[in-house]
Amino acid sequence: MSQKRRTFLKSLGLTGMGLTLAPNLLQAKPAIPARGKDLSTVTLSGKVYAQGKGIAGVSVTDGINVVTTDSAGRYELLSNATADFVYLSIPRGYEFENEKSITRFYKRIVPQRGRFKADFELKRLAQDDTRHNFVVWADPQIISKEDAEQLKRESAPDLKQLMSSYPQGTLFHGIGCGDLVWDKFELFDDYQEALAIAGIPFFQVIGNHDMNLDARTDEGSTEKFKELFGPTYYSFNRGEVHYVVLDDVFFIGTAKKYIGYLTERQLAWLEQDLATVKPGSTVVVSLHIPAYTRQHERNKEKEPSLGGVVSNRKELYRLLQPYKAHLMSGHTHFNEKVFEGDNIIEHVHGTVCGAWWTGPICYDGTPGGYGVYEVKGSELQWYYKSTGLPKEHQLRVYPVGAVAGKPEHVAVNVWNWDPNWKVEWLEDGRRMGEMTRETALDPLSIELHEGAAKPSRHKWVEPQPTDHLFFARPSAGDSVFVVQVKDRFGNVYRDELKLAKLESAVH
């Protein structure tokens, strides 16, 4: 017996059993041939136009390659049968076509004899879009009709009311930043109904709870999302800002198992997409799993979990280096700002559902709510909007001793804090300086979430350390303790406590 044959039989566990295999058996083909992937070419073509006139320079893509329309608004793109959609990067100055607030900027490819024709008709905005606003809804994450009704009864009307506080005609769009539902695909209808109540066009990001959990690979996990909302990665433009949506949830073929990862196909597409954007421009990238957070540091862990950050984020950072970039993410159910170099700010958002619809806050004490962004030219300003509370609600003050280990200190949670904010305190009208930032558990989260019996709906919810808590030690006598917070844009927020010999109550 040859050495190669002996090695082969050993690998099958058949040596020493007196067995030999016939040569034809060793060379046999599988009884059922594997299904080959259809890589046949498909030529995509069409026209992008408004009021019968072609629009030049519009990016059109199949999710693999990007082309731009010619002077007559025409495009042609050689694609293949693995592409699901042909879609465009909506140019500035045009409306976001939508059906009951779900944006439609794509057509599913149905080739005939190797060709597919797709025209896109756009409608010009009645106003200049250099100034516009957008909101980020992270993790509505509804798992029941009860959750869905709360989303429609509280969150959607809150957004509608907020928009009505702006001058009539103010442009708004929304970004649903993933986990639109909680594995219950039948509730996507309720999510869409909530968007229709809010009444603005929404772009969707796929989250780990929006995937087909019985798929055998990542590619198959997005089928339902694509059926309802179209591509999982794409771009669009409004005013001077270029918006990108990415799919960074990589499903590994076992239910509820995933990592934060951007595929080569997406990165190659993104590189082409950004090549159409002038360096120095503002780019807003929305993805579900944060590119990065420091949660593992707060939890005293050596490194972040594979499902908690994007493993190959450095390549994303490299592609964004020529731009002023803002990353919009969710997933974590806490609020955090992360800075990467001088040009990238990541906004990790507190969630619409708070701590999974168990009460008014996320587990870091951030109220359930959403991010609001006001765009003027290439500049963004922002604030966090707590559902059901005025937009001025930007901090929560706790009395002396509310935080374990700080028995003589007042504590303040400033959830949208970043290093350009200033958190000061005054005692009886006298400025006492800045409060000290430390990592600790939010007292209200401890009250609502800590312990095996609570919250009653999802008992696994627990408080998590946050680094946007601030502390100061007041005098021992009667006094009025005032917290004054100035954000990076110069907005000032205040709250106060009346202290009586270290016994206090929130004013």
Side-chain angles (χ1 to χ4, degrees), residues 118-133:
D119 294 337
F120 294 91
E121 182 176 9
L122 300 180
K123 185 177 180 181
R124 184 170 285 281
L125 284 166
Q127 66 202 93
D128 178 47
D129 59 2
T130 303
R131 296 184 65 160
H132 64 274
N133 298 343

Side-chain angles (χ1 to χ4, degrees), residues 110-383:
V110 184
Q112 295 289 333
R113 298 177 183 174
R115 300 190 68 87
F116 181 68
K117 188 173 186 294
D119 294 337
F120 294 91
E121 182 176 9
L122 300 180
K123 185 177 180 181
R124 184 170 285 281
L125 284 166
Q127 66 202 93
D128 178 47
D129 59 2
T130 303
R131 296 184 65 160
H132 64 274
N133 298 343
F134 68 96
V135 301
V136 176
W137 266 21
D139 302 69
Q141 203 158 340
I142 48 179
I143 199 173
S144 65
K145 280 291 183 181
E146 183 182 358
D147 293 349
E149 288 306 312
Q150 191 169 350
L151 181 71
K152 290 184 280 188
R153 184 179 66 250
E154 297 177 6
S155 304
D158 186 88
L159 174 53
K160 188 173 183 178
Q161 183 178 16
L162 174 75
M163 291 186 299
S164 70
S165 71
Y166 284 82
Q168 187 173 4
T170 300
L171 287 171
F172 267 94
H173 68 273
I175 298 168
C177 212
D179 283 1
L180 313 178
V181 299
W182 190 351
D183 304 330
K184 302 287 186 181
F185 288 171
E186 63 272 20
L187 296 176
F188 273 129
D189 287 343
D190 294 275
Y191 170 73
Q192 295 182 61
E193 288 172 14
L195 298 191
I197 291 170
I200 57 172
F202 258 79
F203 295 87
Q204 319 308 325
V205 180
I206 190 168
N208 52 289
H209 287 291
D210 303 318
M211 303 188 304
N212 300 56
L213 297 178
D214 56 354
R216 72 178 187 177
T217 63
D218 179 63
E219 288 83 354
S221 69
T222 57
E223 288 179 0
K224 185 63 178 181
F225 182 93
K226 288 179 177 178
E227 176 189 322
L228 294 171
F229 306 119
T232 60
Y233 58 94
Y234 52 92
S235 69
F236 59 96
N237 301 274
R238 175 142 282 184
E240 298 177 16
V241 178
H242 184 67
Y243 293 86
V244 176
V245 168
L246 297 176
D247 169 8
D248 67 349
V249 183
F250 191 90
F251 178 66
I252 62 172
T254 302
K256 301 193 178 186
K257 298 291 185 182
Y258 56 87
I259 62 173
Y261 181 78
L262 294 166
T263 61
E264 171 60 27
R265 182 161 168 167
Q266 273 189 93
L267 289 171
W269 169 86
L270 179 61
E271 197 159 18
Q272 296 174 73
D273 177 76
L274 291 177
T276 68
V277 181
K278 182 181 177 181
S281 300
T282 297
V283 176
V284 172
V285 179
S286 297
L287 29 68
H288 179 61
I289 296 174
Y292 191 66
T293 86
R294 293 187 169 81
Q295 183 185 26
H296 64 289
E297 296 176 6
R298 296 189 289 273
N299 291 340
K300 298 182 179 179
E301 298 163 350
K302 289 185 178 180
E303 58 186 23
S305 68
L306 287 174
V309 300
V310 177
S311 298
N312 56 340
R313 60 187 173 276
K314 288 184 179 179
E315 182 60 18
L316 175 62
Y317 293 157
R318 184 188 72 80
L319 293 175
L320 293 174
Q321 193 60 44
Y323 309 98
K324 294 185 295 186
H326 294 265
L327 303 183
M328 306 290 165
S329 57
H331 185 57
T332 64
H333 297 255
F334 58 70
N335 210 66
E336 183 180 6
K337 295 288 183 287
V338 180
F339 294 80
E340 175 62 28
D342 296 329
N343 70 312
I344 299 175
I345 303 176
E346 178 156 17
H347 308 258
V348 184
H349 291 82
T351 53
V352 172
C353 71
W356 297 268
W357 300 107
T358 61
I361 62 170
C362 304
Y363 53 52
D364 69 335
T366 301
Y370 49 96
V372 183
Y373 297 82
E374 300 172 340
V375 182
K376 298 177 183 177
S378 63
E379 299 300 319
L380 273 62
Q381 293 192 10
W382 56 85
Y383 60 91

Side-chain angles (χ1 to χ4, degrees), residues 433-450:
E434 295 191 38
M435 299 182 73
T436 303
R437 184 170 67 96
E438 297 185 30
T439 297
L441 300 178
D442 177 84
L444 183 56
S445 183
I446 291 174
E447 181 183 338
L448 296 176
H449 304 144
E450 189 171 66

Side-chain angles (χ1 to χ4, degrees), residues 343-466:
N343 70 312
I344 299 175
I345 303 176
E346 178 156 17
H347 308 258
V348 184
H349 291 82
T351 53
V352 172
C353 71
W356 297 268
W357 300 107
T358 61
I361 62 170
C362 304
Y363 53 52
D364 69 335
T366 301
Y370 49 96
V372 183
Y373 297 82
E374 300 172 340
V375 182
K376 298 177 183 177
S378 63
E379 299 300 319
L380 273 62
Q381 293 192 10
W382 56 85
Y383 60 91
Y384 186 88
K385 175 63 174 68
S386 305
T387 302
L389 294 166
K391 66 181 183 180
E392 292 77 20
H393 182 67
Q394 297 296 321
L395 61 139
R396 186 185 306 111
V397 183
Y398 292 105
V400 171
V403 174
K406 307 290 286 188
E408 298 178 344
H409 290 72
V410 170
V412 183
N413 194 331
V414 187
W415 41 82
N416 216 31
W417 176 87
D418 70 48
N420 285 331
W421 287 48
K422 195 171 187 178
V423 182
E424 299 178 292
W425 67 291
L426 297 82
E427 191 171 59
D428 290 334
R430 186 162 52 97
R431 291 184 179 274
M432 305 298 290
E434 295 191 38
M435 299 182 73
T436 303
R437 184 170 67 96
E438 297 185 30
T439 297
L441 300 178
D442 177 84
L444 183 56
S445 183
I446 291 174
E447 181 183 338
L448 296 176
H449 304 144
E450 189 171 66
K454 55 186 181 180
S456 58
R457 289 188 63 198
H458 303 304
K459 295 181 180 179
W460 42 265
V461 175
E462 287 289 331
Q464 295 288 327
T466 178

